[in-house]
Amino acid sequence: LGGANALAVRTAAGWEVIQYRTATLIGGDVWRLTGLLRGQQGTEAEMRAGAEAGAVVVFLDEALARVEIGPGERGLPLVCRAGPVGAAPGGAGFSEVAFTLEGRQGRPWSPSGLRVETAAAGRVVRWTPRVRLYGDPWDVGPAAVDPLRFRLRVLDGDAVRRTMTVEGEEAVYAAADLAADFPSGPGAAARIAVSQWGEGWGWGVEAEIALD
């Protein structure tokens, strides 16, 4: 699974990247894939959305050509044309599709290990940043995350009670602020959401945990 056997599955929220350990032919052209690693490359939100039976699957192997598009074209309506090598674009044998580049490969991944601890000062929220490469070496410390900037949102159902921006891997939700946000005490819908800032992207995917 060291980067191999990867595929993208279209879900209601976008494309989820999955890896698999084994593929077993069970009849005809039908294969059963097992030993799955879900939500790869920061696609947890797409994983949670799920895919319908019959969803499109694209194998991410060496046969797939990468289209190089600059970050300045993110959010712009574009047209992709594909056809025979050497032929005039738009000529015989070409097909085209309109799309808007979202640049999701550049979004920050959600933090891991999110936890909330009760203290005299209020609630102490801690997390661990995730990095794309060299984040968990055996013999040295993990690679540094840049920028180390995070947004913490206090949610009550769909309502946002408070937003904080911190530089680091923890924050304190002060007891006085908690009392002001939840005069009757936090209920089951109260939770903490933390996301990382990415240059050229904005706030990334949130990790969530219950406040209590």
Side-chain angles (χ1 to χ4, degrees), residues 26-129:
I26 60 176
D29 292 329
V30 179
W31 295 77
R32 176 179 288 115
L33 307 182
T34 57
L36 302 182
L37 282 180
R38 302 285 307 278
Q40 296 292 83
Q41 295 293 308
T43 58
E44 301 100 314
E46 292 79 2
M47 175 188 70
R48 288 191 292 268
E52 299 289 340
V56 175
V57 175
V58 178
F59 282 82
L60 306 178
D61 55 22
E62 64 279 357
L64 192 67
R66 179 184 292 274
V67 178
E68 299 296 340
I69 302 176
E73 294 181 292
R74 177 184 165 210
L76 300 178
L78 303 173
V79 175
C80 179
R81 293 189 178 99
V85 174
F94 268 79
S95 60
E96 69 177 46
V97 61
F99 71 103
T100 299
L101 178 69
E102 297 182 8
R104 293 193 178 193
Q105 81 286 347
R107 64 182 173 181
W109 294 353
S110 61
S112 65
L114 182 59
R115 57 198 183 277
V116 178
E117 302 170 1
T118 301
R123 301 290 195 276
V124 180
V125 186
R126 294 187 174 92
W127 57 86
T128 300

Side-chain angles (χ1 to χ4, degrees), residues 74-196:
R74 177 184 165 210
L76 300 178
L78 303 173
V79 175
C80 179
R81 293 189 178 99
V85 174
F94 268 79
S95 60
E96 69 177 46
V97 61
F99 71 103
T100 299
L101 178 69
E102 297 182 8
R104 293 193 178 193
Q105 81 286 347
R107 64 182 173 181
W109 294 353
S110 61
S112 65
L114 182 59
R115 57 198 183 277
V116 178
E117 302 170 1
T118 301
R123 301 290 195 276
V124 180
V125 186
R126 294 187 174 92
W127 57 86
T128 300
R130 294 165 65 196
V131 296
R132 287 174 167 78
L133 295 173
Y134 317 120
D136 56 352
W138 291 101
D139 52 348
V140 295
V145 176
D146 183 30
L148 203 63
R149 181 184 178 195
F150 295 86
R151 182 185 66 183
L152 185 150
R153 299 198 303 158
V154 181
L155 307 175
D156 186 13
D158 294 330
V160 180
R161 299 300 182 194
R162 187 174 297 271
T163 300
M164 295 179 279
T165 301
V166 299
E167 306 284 341
E169 300 177 24
E170 68 175 53
V172 176
Y173 181 27
D177 293 335
L178 190 152
D181 297 338
F182 300 95
S184 301
R191 60 196 191 280
I192 297 290
V194 179
S195 58
Q196 184 180 355

